[in-house]
């Protein structure tokens, strides 16, 4: 069995890494359990990692591979930046050749970026033979909807879902959305959230980061000291074109932060898109290094308040900042999920969210982009004393469930209406396994079926 996984942009890496890890762990178990069975060696999963290069610099891509222990991509398409049309078309043009050369059994696409849709479209239209055979398309993070068609990501989500064969859902709203859209039920699987798999596996490792010391946020103690050593601070991320390309909206958001920045520093890792806008608005950088600036854009080194700009951070540095933050203000969907899992108050500066579970059961509030509402919502979150609940299946095992489904679907030769095809008689066995274990019974039955 050959699985090809596509990544292209920063959020994809956290979602794909656990799946690749689950494949590697399974292959190790197969090698150990069937070391003397030469007939079974050919049944290890062959994995191919394709990086489209949609995010291409080290800040936005390279450091994440190291932090998440991702292997070097087998194929790098080197797409780079461009308009939606140019980027999507170029990915499709180059990816088609990869699929024809590799002939995978399953193609896994994750998230909602241009790479996700472009690669799904290629596989949906390709034919390896006169019978029209092609790989299965598995969409990780399916079914999420903001119901805002002005968002490019919403178009990518909807189209990807409707050309995919397996829809792997992170939250219950995804199930409901897909069913309302008439998607066949046997394509849909509620597996959980692989981004949370990454967070849970790296949460303690992130404590080795020195980012708190680098930014002067740890008042005393060792690098892995307790929370009492850490000053109060906010964390800000902005990257959506609707927020940063519109100068009025961008300045409204910054205005909504004025009260917070007067009471504590706000750490702002700046996305390249946002860096360009800040320069256009006349906010100065200091030789490309970390700096502090007051609300009016004047450089003010050594301040204990104000906005602190940094370059984009690696995964572990950012996770360390996020888990110790007093509050997070963001327009990122993934950060809404991560703060919910960590129990950190989050204010989302958008008019909607495709992740309603973060509001219903988590720590997230939607503030929009009104200066006054942002200010009020931040104050509400700073007074927050309620508890949140980690959503169902956000337990660190989503990747294991996904791999079970991919293997079961491929082996059965048809889409499954249950987590694993009942004909395999391994459903109840597989789902009672710990992520680090696999029974010889399951593997033996599987080996008899795999072509």
């Amino acid at each position: 069995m050959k699985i090809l996984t596509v990544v292209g942009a920063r959020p994809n890496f956290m979602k794909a890494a656990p799946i690749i890890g689950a494949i590697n762990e399974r292959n190790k178990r197969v090698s150990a359990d069937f070391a003397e069975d030469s007939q079974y060696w050919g049944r290890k999963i062959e994995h191919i990692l394709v990086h489209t290069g949609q995010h291409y610099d080290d800040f936005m891509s390279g450091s994440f591979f190291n932090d998440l222990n991702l292997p070097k991509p087998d194929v790098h398409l080197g797409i780079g930046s461009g308009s939606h049309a140019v980027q999507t078309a170029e990915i499709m043009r180059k990816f088609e050749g990869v699929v024809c050369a590799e002939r995978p059994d399953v193609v896994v696409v994750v998230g909602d970026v241009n790479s996700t849709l472009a690669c799904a479209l290629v596989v949906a239209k390709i034919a390896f033979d006169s019978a029209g055979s092609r790989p299965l398309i598995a969409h990780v993070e399916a079914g999420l909807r903001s119901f805002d068609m002005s968002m490019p990501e919403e178009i990518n989500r909807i189209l990807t879902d409707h050309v995919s064969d397996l829809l792997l859902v992170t939250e219950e709203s995804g199930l409901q959305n897909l069913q309302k859209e008439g998607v066949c039920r046997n394509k849909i699987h509620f597996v959980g959230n692989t981004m949370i798999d990454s967070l849970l596996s790296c949460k303690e490792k992130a404590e080795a980061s020195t980012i708190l010391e680098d930014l002067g946020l740890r008042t005393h103690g060792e690098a892995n000291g307790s929370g009492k050593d850490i000053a109060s601070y906010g964390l800000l991320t902005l990257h959506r074109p609707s927020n940063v390309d519109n100068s009025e909206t961008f300045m409204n958001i910054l205005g909504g932060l004025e009260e917070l920045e007067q009471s504590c520093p706000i750490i702002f890792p700046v996305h390249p898109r946002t860096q360009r806008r800040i320069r256009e608005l006349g906010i100065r950088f200091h030789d490309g290094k970390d700096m502090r600036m007051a609300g009016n854009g004047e450089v003010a080194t050594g301040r204990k308040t104000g906005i602190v700009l940094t370059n984009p951070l690696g995964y572990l540095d950012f996770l360390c900042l996020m888990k110790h933050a007093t509050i997070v203000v963001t327009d990122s969907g993934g950060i809404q999920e991560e703060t919910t899992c960590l129990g950190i108050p989050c204010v989302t500066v958008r008019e909607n969210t495709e992740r309603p579970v973060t509001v219903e059961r988590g720590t997230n509030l939607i503030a929009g982009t009104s200066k006054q509402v942002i200010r009020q919502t931040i104050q509400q979150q700073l007074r927050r004393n309620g508890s949140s609940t980690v959503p169902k299946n956000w337990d660190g095992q989503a990747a294991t469930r996904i791999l079970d489904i991919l293997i079961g679907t491929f082996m059965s030769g048809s889409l499954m209406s249950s987590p694993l095809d009942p004909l395999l008689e391994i459903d109840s066995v597989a789902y009672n396994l710990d992520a680090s274990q696999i029974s010889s019974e399951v593997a033996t039955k599987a080996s008899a079926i795999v072509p």
Side-chain angles (χ1 to χ4, degrees):
M1 179 180 181
K2 182 186 287 190
I3 297 175
L4 185 154
T5 301
V6 177
V7 296
R10 184 172 170 133
N12 295 165
F13 308 142
M14 294 94 84
K15 298 165 189 173
I19 301 171
I20 297 169
I23 291 171
N24 291 337
E25 285 301 313
R26 180 190 179 277
N27 283 344
K28 289 179 184 177
R29 294 194 298 268
V30 167
S31 297
D33 292 346
F34 294 88
E36 298 180 0
D37 184 354
S38 60
Q39 297 300 312
Y40 194 78
W41 274 91
R43 296 183 175 91
K44 290 174 64 176
I45 294 173
E46 180 181 354
H47 182 259
I48 300 165
L49 178 60
V50 175
H51 187 353
T52 68
Q54 183 176 333
H55 279 173
Y56 49 90
D57 63 26
D58 191 62
F59 283 131
M60 298 301 289
S61 175
S63 63
F64 270 55
F65 276 76
N66 294 329
D67 287 350
L68 292 164
N69 198 29
L70 277 166
K72 182 180 178 181
D74 299 289
V75 179
H76 198 299
L77 301 183
I79 299 302
S81 60
S83 70
H84 287 290
V86 168
Q87 199 172 62
T88 303
E90 190 66 7
I91 293 169
M92 291 181 71
R93 186 181 71 82
K94 291 189 175 182
F95 185 65
E96 183 179 42
V98 175
V99 176
C100 290
E102 295 293 346
R103 298 175 70 92
D105 300 300
V106 180
V107 172
V108 177
V109 296
V110 299
D112 55 17
V113 298
N114 288 339
S115 297
T116 309
L117 174 59
C119 294
L121 285 174
V122 167
V123 180
K125 293 185 173 187
I126 210 162
F128 290 153
D129 52 38
S130 59
S133 62
R134 63 164 178 81
L136 288 169
I137 307 168
H139 183 203
V140 175
E141 199 181 75
L144 298 181
R145 299 288 183 267
S146 67
F147 305 102
D148 179 358
M149 292 301 291
S150 69
M151 294 178 63
E153 297 92 341
E154 184 76 353
I155 297 169
N156 291 345
R157 292 179 202 117
I158 293 171
L159 295 180
T160 301
D161 282 343
H162 284 268
V163 299
S164 294
D165 303 297
L166 292 170
L167 301 170
L168 306 167
V169 176
T170 59
E171 62 171 87
E172 292 176 6
S173 73
L175 296 175
Q176 298 162 4
N177 293 333
L178 292 170
Q179 290 170 358
K180 288 176 182 177
E181 292 172 13
V183 176
C184 183
R185 180 64 185 89
N186 67 351
K187 292 184 176 184
I188 306 170
H189 302 273
F190 183 18
V191 295
N193 193 330
T194 57
M195 179 171 276
I196 301 304
D197 287 11
S198 286
L199 185 150
L200 293 176
S201 68
C202 293
K203 189 166 66 169
E204 296 309 316
K205 185 179 177 182
E207 285 303 303
S209 167
T210 62
I211 190 67
L212 297 175
E213 287 78 12
D214 296 343
L215 294 173
L217 296 171
R218 195 183 293 277
T219 55
H220 59 84
E222 300 297 327
N224 60 351
S226 64
K228 68 182 180 181
D229 300 324
I230 300 169
S232 176
Y233 63 92
L235 179 60
L236 171 67
T237 76
L238 294 172
H239 75 280
R240 293 191 178 274
S242 58
N243 280 343
V244 301
D245 287 354
N246 183 308
S247 59
E248 182 179 356
T249 301
F250 190 26
M251 296 310 295
N252 272 340
I253 293 171
L254 293 180
L257 299 170
E258 288 175 352
E259 189 173 344
L260 178 63
E261 71 174 87
Q262 289 169 8
S263 63
C264 68
I266 301 174
I267 312 303
F268 186 9
V270 189
H271 188 281
R273 169 187 291 278
T274 314
Q275 288 185 15
R276 291 193 296 271
R277 291 299 292 141
I278 290 175
R279 291 190 183 100
E280 291 167 4
L281 292 171
I283 301 175
R284 296 185 291 128
F285 288 97
H286 182 58
D287 297 329
K289 298 178 181 179
D290 298 342
M291 58 163 276
R292 299 179 187 273
M293 70 177 188
N296 61 7
E298 292 297 321
V299 175
T301 56
R303 290 174 57 90
K304 296 185 181 300
T305 58
I307 297 178
V308 183
L309 273 68
T310 78
N311 282 317
L313 299 174
Y315 180 68
L316 295 177
D317 284 343
F318 187 82
L319 177 53
C320 182
L321 273 178
M322 184 165 51
K323 67 181 289 192
H324 292 294
T326 303
I327 190 169
V328 175
V329 180
T330 188
D331 59 7
S332 162
I335 291 174
Q336 294 172 48
E337 294 176 328
E338 291 171 323
T339 49
T340 285
C341 185
L342 293 169
I344 303 297
C346 178
V347 173
T348 296
V349 285
R350 287 169 47 191
E351 302 297 335
N352 50 56
T353 180
E354 64 283 349
R355 294 161 167 88
V357 74
T358 64
V359 177
E360 296 162 2
R361 299 179 62 177
T363 58
N364 185 32
L365 289 180
I366 308 301
T369 57
S370 161
K371 181 190 306 185
Q372 184 61 31
V373 176
I374 293 171
R375 185 180 296 122
Q376 292 171 349
T377 307
I378 288 173
Q379 291 305 312
Q380 181 180 345
Q381 288 289 62
L382 291 174
R383 296 190 298 267
R384 178 186 177 89
N385 54 18
S387 60
S388 61
T389 305
V390 176
K392 182 179 179 181
N393 284 351
W394 290 19
D395 56 3
Q397 302 300 315
T400 301
R401 297 185 188 102
I402 288 170
L403 187 57
D404 285 342
I405 290 165
L406 299 183
I407 294 170
T409 302
F410 172 69
M411 290 193 302
S412 69
S414 63
L415 299 179
M416 300 176 298
S417 58
S418 59
L420 285 174
D421 196 311
L423 293 176
L424 299 180
E425 298 179 355
I426 59 176
D427 182 15
S428 62
V429 178
Y431 274 79
N432 286 327
L433 289 177
D434 182 84
S436 63
Q437 299 174 332
I438 185 169
S439 71
S440 295
E441 178 183 0
V442 172
T444 301
K445 291 182 180 180
S447 68
I449 299 173
V450 177

